Amino acid sequence: MTEKKTTKGRTGLKTLTGTLRRAAAAGLCGAALASAVAAAPAQAQQGRAEGLSGATWRLKDSGSDARFRGLAAISRTTAWVAGSKGTVLRTHDGGRSWRNVSPPGAEGLEFRDIEAFDARRAVVLAIGEGEASRVFRTDDAGATWTESFRNTDPRAFYDCLTFFDARNGIALSDPVDGKYRVLATGDGGRSWRVLSSDGMPAAQPGEAAFAAGGQCLVSAGRRDAWFATGGAATARVFHSADRGRTWTVVDAPLPAGDPARGVFALAFRDTRTGLAVGGDYRAGQPSPKAAAVTADGGAVWTVADAPPPAYRSGVTWLPHSRRTALAVGPTGTDVTNDGGRTWRTVDQGSYDTVDCAPDLGCWAAGEQGRVARLEPAGR
C-alpha cells in the first residue's frame, strides 16, 4: 500500500502527576493514571499535552531526523525506536541521551517494527518488496546485530512482527497467491520459517496490512494473535489462537473501500479485550468511525460512540488500567477512559506510534526524529 511503501491504582492519588512520580519512584498506579488522564482538557502546544491534568508529552532530542514508526518501551528509562534510513536508537536514561545502534549497512532499509525483550535484546523488522524485507536481532544492546531473515520472494512484503514470549513470535506479509503469509520463530528471532497457508482465509482483492506504526500485528497471552487490514472493500481483523497456524477473520467497522483506508493498529489488554484504530491516512481526508472495540477476542467489533476525530496509526492500553488507552496519529493524541467507547483529543503533536511499559513508562515516536515520554507537568 502507498502508506507503507512511501513510506503496538492507587486511588488516593488525584492527578497523573502524583501517579507518574510515584511510579517512577516505586510503584504501579494504573487506576490513578486512568482518572487523571480522563480529566484532561483538550489543549496542546509544541507537541505537548500542556492542558493535561498532571501529565504531558515531553519531547526528547533524539539527534535524528528519521521517521520512527517502530517503538519498544521497556521502562521509564529505557526505550528503543526504529525508523527510516535503517535507523535504530536506544536510550537508557529516560531520553536525555540516545545511542545510535543501527545495524551496519542498513542505511537503505525502512525499519517499521521493533520488539524488545529487555534493555539488551531486540528484534527489528525492515519492510519492502523482496529482499527489502529483513529481520535483525541483537543480544548486546545493539552493539552487534545478526540478520536472521531476508525475504527472497519478490511477491512478499512484510509489515509487522510480534512475540508471545522471549522465544515464540510471528511476522506478517501481505498476501502471496491470495493469502497472507506468516513467518514463525521458536528461538527468539534467531531463525524463521514460513508457515503453511492452509489455515489462512483468502484475502480480498486489493487487501493488505499497513506498516504504519508496528501495530498491524499484535499478540496477547501465550498463543493468541491478531492482524488488521485495509485497502479493500471491507476493513478486517484476523485472529489466531494457535500462534499463527490457523486463522479466522471478521469485518471491522472502520473506513474502507479505498487503498488508503482501513485498520492501522490494534491493542489487546488480554485475550478478550481489544482496540482498533485507523481511518484514511491521507492528510485532510475525513476518517469517521476511526476506532472500534471488542470484548470477545475479536469475534465482533463495535465502532466507538465518539471515535478520534482523524486517522490514528498507533494505540496502546495504559498498564494496570482496564479502561484507559492512548491513540496517536499525525494530527494528535487521544485518550479513552471507558475502554474505547469514547475518545478525547488531548494533544495535537504528530506521532506515528505509542507504547507503554509496565512501570507506566509511556513513549511516543514519529516524524523528523520526534520521540516523547509522558511525564508529570512541570518536570
Side-chain angles (χ1 to χ4, degrees), residues 237-257:
V237 177
F238 289 66
H239 173 232
S240 172
D242 55 11
R243 294 182 179 168
R245 289 165 179 79
T246 61
W247 297 82
T248 57
V249 61
V250 298
D251 292 347
L254 272 72

Side-chain angles (χ1 to χ4, degrees), residues 21-168:
R21 284 174 177 162
R22 293 196 186 191
L28 302 173
C29 319
L33 177 64
S35 61
V37 173
Q43 301 174 5
Q45 299 177 16
Q46 299 178 354
R48 300 175 179 176
E50 299 288 351
L52 280 176
S53 179
T56 177
W57 284 127
R58 297 294 182 188
L59 290 171
K60 306 296 180 179
D61 185 3
S62 70
S64 172
D65 63 357
R67 187 165 193 169
F68 294 121
R69 296 181 183 268
L71 168 65
I74 301 302
S75 67
R76 287 185 51 77
T77 58
T78 302
W80 303 70
V81 291
S84 59
K85 297 180 286 189
T87 306
V88 179
L89 306 183
R90 174 183 170 275
T91 183
H92 63 85
D93 56 11
R96 289 192 296 273
S97 64
W98 294 86
R99 181 183 175 190
N100 188 331
V101 294
S102 306
E107 294 82 4
L109 299 178
E110 287 284 331
F111 289 134
R112 294 297 180 86
D113 198 354
I114 185 166
E115 303 292 328
F117 307 114
D118 51 38
R120 297 184 61 80
R121 300 176 297 159
V123 177
V124 64
L125 170 73
I127 69 155
E129 296 176 345
E131 293 191 1
S133 286
R134 306 180 195 181
V135 178
F136 298 82
R137 177 185 166 106
T138 182
D139 290 296
D140 54 14
T144 61
W145 294 86
T146 300
E147 182 182 303
S148 58
F149 172 76
R150 181 180 298 204
N151 174 46
T152 58
D153 188 335
R155 302 169 298 170
F157 188 118
Y158 286 86
D159 300 289
C160 295
L161 74 161
T162 190
F163 278 84
F164 305 95
D165 51 45
R167 296 188 60 82
N168 297 286

Side-chain angles (χ1 to χ4, degrees), residues 256-273:
D258 186 277
R261 299 174 186 159
V263 181
F264 282 73
L266 300 169
F268 273 79
R269 192 188 69 211
D270 49 45
T271 58
R272 303 285 294 173
T273 312

Side-chain angles (χ1 to χ4, degrees), residues 41-52 56-57 59 309-312 327-335 344-352 367 370:
Q43 301 174 5
Q45 299 177 16
Q46 299 178 354
R48 300 175 179 176
E50 299 288 351
L52 280 176
T56 177
W57 284 127
L59 290 171
Y311 155 71
R312 295 295 181 250
V328 300
T331 62
T333 298
D334 305 285
V335 170
R344 185 177 187 180
T345 302
V346 293
D347 178 80
Q348 296 173 1
S350 176
Y351 299 103
D352 292 312
E367 62 184 341
R370 287 171 61 87

